Amino acid sequence: MPSPANPLERPAPGPITSQLARAQAKLDYLKGLNDEQREAVLTTEGPLLVLAGAGTGKTRVLTTRIAHILTERKARGSEILSVTFTNKAAREMKERIGKLVGSTVEGMPWLGTFHSIGARILRRHAELADLKSDFTILDTDDQIRLIKQLLDAENIDEKRWPARQFANMLDTWKNRGLLPKDVSPADSGSFANGRGTRLYADYQARLKVLNAADFGDLLLENIRIFREYPDVLAHYHRQFKYMLVDEYQDSNVAQYLWLRLLAQGKPASEANICVVGDDDQSIYGWRGAEVDNILRFEKDFPGAKVIKLERNYRSTSNILKAASTLIANNESRLGKTLQTDVGETGEKLTVTSVWDSEEEARQIGEEIEQYQRQGESLNSMAILVRASHQMRELEERFITLGLNYRVIGGPRFYERKEIRDAIAYLRVIANPADSLSFERIVNVPKRGLGDSTVQLLHNTARAANTNLVSATRMLLETEELKPKQRTTLRELLAQFDDWSARLQGLPHYELAEQVLDESGYTAMWQADKSPDSPGRLENLKELVRSMEEFETLGGFLEHISLVMDRDTVEAEDAVTIMTLHSAKGLEYDTVFLPGWEEGLFPSQRSMDELGRAGLEEERRLAYVGITRGKKRVRLSMAQNRRIRGLWQSALPSRFIDELPPEVVDVKDTGSGYGGYTYGGGAAGRFNFADPFESVYNTPGWQRAKAQQSSRKGGGPLTIEGELVARSVDIGSDRSPYETGQRVFHLKFGYGEISAIEGNKLTIDFDKAGRKKVLESFVSKA
DNA sequence: CGTAGGATGTTTTTT
DNA sequence: ACATCCTACG
């Protein structure tokens, strides 16, 4: 964002600040804004919809608006509700507001994600939801384990009705703001022969027993409380004088209802609610986001002012043109036209076709190194992938190259087993009713408490409608447990009592250390001989260290439930690798967009499940990807890719064809088996009919060409990925095959190897003629 | 009760 | 390819 260095590094205006000084400050922060932006900042009263295209200074408007409200003393920080979708966005806003107004950030307790604010409100009124204020927030994993227990208790075959599927249904219902009683019979019927609603109700009841809430509840319970207790809602009406919502196009029905309830303190036409969004960047439809929310804002809040931000300060006109042309293929949009303000045509976009994903990674690595030699920083480059499994190969390549990279949103720290175990201990200390956590660690490390014992605990808990810990206490009074297990459990509970007591007089991070020691958990990993156990011990230390940043154990646990991402340290120069979804809102000089292949991007699954809407969402994702680039956008596609262990050949993504040819260079190609030909777009310049007759430059192409030069005409070389690569006990670069050997191929039948190149074999098939195939497609005849 | 090894499902995206 | 779940055995 081209915001000039901000001159506002000054303390917040104190009571003695003069009118004049304030007027001056106002001038300062309004300075670099264009007319529309300024209007969006100054229109503080009444409903306002800001349609902000990519790179038009959306965050700047939001933060300046808050700064404006604060400096004008229209409201205090605690009276502004400001919701974002992701933690990253919330963090960034806090930072930028801090820069604008100085120290006031701590005074913005209601700036956060929907879920963190929902949790905050729910904790205050927990008793109205049959919870205690220290309730545990369940993640998907816990949720599924709980559902499994329920299915088990109901004698529902988990094979036929997978817990995961029910978890998804629950999510959908909760995202739509539906309580058990609101679920339609049709919806209910779609699981376990009509038992859906009952299970939902049982699940909710079980959550109360465990003193727990899932993600959906954080908002849904808010909504229920607001509806059932008008005095509570009235309190928040008084509290929130201004409401701001970021990325409104990503909000779902529950979030919409939540906002609408909170905005009801005034007549709709006077509500001080400002939503900012871009329908072209709506990419969360799959988890219940309703673009409709943004489309009907004017109906919900009559008289709402609508401001469009269309001046793009980020990308060159070539990039902008490519993105606009692409997104114009979508039917359902409000329609905005981005105008460049950068004033540079810039480089053309490039599309590179490579043989496989390995070569794609190599290609990207080379280019990055080349730019680096030209003095560009790694921080200014990013690789945006459709699916996280694309990351691995890139990482491997960068490791061999010694190229610094960072992965955003990859495997999460808090999802590691050892971390989750440690947290389970802490959760039980904080909330002894948390049966899921108790169950997780009751026999970790091994204490000789096996399935049958745990089953007994479960049965007792269910019969008494209570949690595992108190069920255990009950059992200890009886003879039902075998003596050995009885002693073990008694000791374990005594330990937990002891730890809970210690929490009063000890910093929680010291307690955590003692817990890990005394429970034998640390010792367990120390005794473990596997190569990753040192790393796990290191992670545990890191966990304890990170606890020091929090005031209380509760605060820490809240953080890890809601803020799953780690703070990314940007100190080092490194290339960023992340998914397109997590790239929204970011920008880089150079953006690499690998994997533009049919099936992967647009994702087959998305199209299967949502049809045209799915495709349009994928296209918006492509739009997001391209508009991340400021100066340079490089797309690529691999003709062959290994997905879940099997090779698949792919066609270029239709999105490539939708790019305007005049701003795209088709750099190196060699794509498109099967004679498939696209129309007039950029991909029109791929030589699909016979890719082996043009001049190409990539090493991969030349290799392919060397192998296949003799292939003429012949049928389309379509390969329906089938055989899983066999693990062969031969050095990695040596092929298990040799020339002259007879082999069998699922599609082409028997043949004889005529040449070997890496994992690619040229084979003279008895029936199909000479073909080049991947080694993993054939077996020895 | 615990373990090893095989069968199975899974992953597109995230709070 | 990977992780989790399941089953058979010690």
Side-chain angles (χ1 to χ4, degrees), chain A residues 753-765:
Chain A
I753 298 178
S754 72
I756 299 174
E757 215 269 333
N759 60 342
K760 291 122 199 165
L761 311 174
T762 307
I763 299 169
D764 287 314
F765 287 103

Side-chain angles (χ1 to χ4, degrees), chain A residues 122-152:
Chain A
L122 186 54
R123 286 202 193 280
R124 287 188 161 189
H125 311 284
E127 75 290 351
L128 301 181
D130 265 324
L131 294 168
K132 289 188 279 169
S133 66
D134 60 354
F135 65 82
T136 300
I137 298 170
L138 300 189
D139 63 22
T140 321
D141 217 66
D142 301 322
Q143 212 181 348
I144 286 173
R145 279 196 294 147
L146 180 56
I147 293 168
K148 276 188 182 159
Q149 290 172 15
L150 283 172
L151 294 179
D152 198 43

Side-chain angles (χ1 to χ4, degrees), chain A residues 615-688:
Chain A
L615 175 63
E616 296 213 339
E617 180 153 318
E618 294 287 306
R619 192 177 280 116
R620 291 192 290 266
L621 208 43
Y623 173 79
V624 167
I626 293 173
T627 51
R628 297 312 96 195
K630 290 159 85 170
K631 299 189 175 145
R632 203 185 278 132
V633 172
R634 319 219 117 213
L635 303 103
S636 54
M637 63 120 357
Q639 296 150 39
N640 299 285
R641 190 176 293 274
R642 206 175 191 171
I643 293 164
R644 289 217 273 294
L646 34 98
W647 283 95
Q648 312 245 257
S649 64
L651 296 169
S653 167
R654 69 190 74 191
F655 298 150
I656 293 179
D657 193 45
E658 293 173 2
L659 299 171
E662 65 272 20
V663 301
V664 178
D665 261 340
V666 177
K667 240 189 90 201
D668 316 311
T669 78
S671 143
Y673 288 107
Y676 192 97
T677 312
Y678 280 91
R685 269 165 293 149
F686 284 116
N687 189 345
F688 288 100

Side-chain angles (χ1 to χ4, degrees), chain A residues 167-185:
Chain A
N168 286 335
M169 296 184 76
L170 271 181
D171 243 27
T172 312
W173 291 335
K174 290 186 174 185
N175 283 341
R176 286 200 224 136
L178 302 175
L179 294 169
K181 65 175 169 53
D182 307 319
V183 175
S184 75

Side-chain angles (χ1 to χ4, degrees), chain A residues 80 338 408 657 662:
Chain A
I80 303 174
L338 289 183
I408 293 189
D657 193 45
E662 65 272 20

Side-chain angles (χ1 to χ4, degrees), chain A residues 589-611:
Chain A
D589 284 345
T590 303
V591 163
F592 294 90
L593 300 169
W596 282 45
E597 299 134 36
E598 281 296 300
L600 176 62
F601 190 36
S603 139
Q604 192 57 52
R605 181 162 171 182
S606 172
M607 295 190 298
D608 289 348
E609 283 172 9
L610 296 152

Side-chain angles (χ1 to χ4, degrees), chain A residues 136-348:
Chain A
T136 300
I137 298 170
L138 300 189
D139 63 22
T140 321
D141 217 66
D142 301 322
Q143 212 181 348
I144 286 173
R145 279 196 294 147
L146 180 56
I147 293 168
K148 276 188 182 159
Q149 290 172 15
L150 283 172
L151 294 179
D152 198 43
E154 292 283 315
N155 272 322
I156 294 170
D157 182 11
E158 217 247 296
K159 288 254 162 57
R160 193 160 144 62
W161 305 105
R164 173 161 230 108
Q165 189 191 329
F166 188 66
N168 286 335
M169 296 184 76
L170 271 181
D171 243 27
T172 312
W173 291 335
K174 290 186 174 185
N175 283 341
R176 286 200 224 136
L178 302 175
L179 294 169
K181 65 175 169 53
D182 307 319
V183 175
S184 75
D187 271 3
S188 171
S190 55
F191 193 85
N193 307 320
R195 284 190 273 181
T197 307
R198 255 257 318 287
L199 278 169
Y200 182 5
D202 288 352
Y203 171 85
Q204 291 304 110
R206 204 59 205 146
L207 285 183
K208 308 302 178 196
V209 174
L210 303 186
N211 189 26
D214 64 19
F215 270 112
D217 285 345
L218 297 181
L219 287 171
L220 195 53
E221 292 284 15
N222 274 207
I223 294 173
R224 203 177 51 72
I225 291 171
F226 290 161
R227 282 182 175 153
E228 289 175 18
Y229 303 89
D231 51 318
V232 174
L233 181 58
H235 166 81
Y236 289 102
H237 286 160
R238 287 190 297 275
Q239 173 93 42
F240 301 134
K241 300 211 168 118
Y242 292 92
M243 294 169 61
L244 292 90
V245 190
D246 192 14
E247 307 280 14
Y248 191 59
Q249 77 283 350
D250 285 333
S251 60
N252 61 35
V253 172
Q255 287 156 343
Y256 166 80
L257 293 171
W258 187 83
L259 285 168
R260 217 180 51 179
L261 283 162
L262 285 171
Q264 271 169 5
K266 290 183 173 190
S269 58
E270 292 166 31
N272 293 328
I273 180 170
C274 165
V275 305
V276 180
D278 179 1
D279 51 314
D280 288 336
Q281 293 187 66
S282 159
I283 54 176
Y284 287 104
W286 50 274
R287 71 172 190 206
E290 293 276 343
V291 201
D292 266 11
N293 289 349
I294 197 165
L295 304 180
R296 72 171 176 228
F297 183 80
E298 290 173 84
K299 279 198 200 104
D300 291 328
F301 298 95
K305 193 171 210 174
V306 180
I307 297 175
K308 284 189 185 181
L309 303 182
E310 295 178 308
R311 260 197 269 174
N312 176 292
Y313 295 95
R314 180 186 292 154
S315 311
T316 64
S317 66
N318 275 345
I319 293 174
L320 227 46
K321 180 160 194 186
S324 307
T325 312
L326 177 88
I327 199 68
N329 288 292
N330 271 5
E331 273 170 19
S332 39
R333 38 190 311 247
L334 288 173
K336 289 183 306 308
T337 323
L338 289 183
Q339 308 290 330
T340 178
D341 212 85
V342 173
E344 250 181 83
T345 313
E347 289 178 30
K348 287 188 178 183

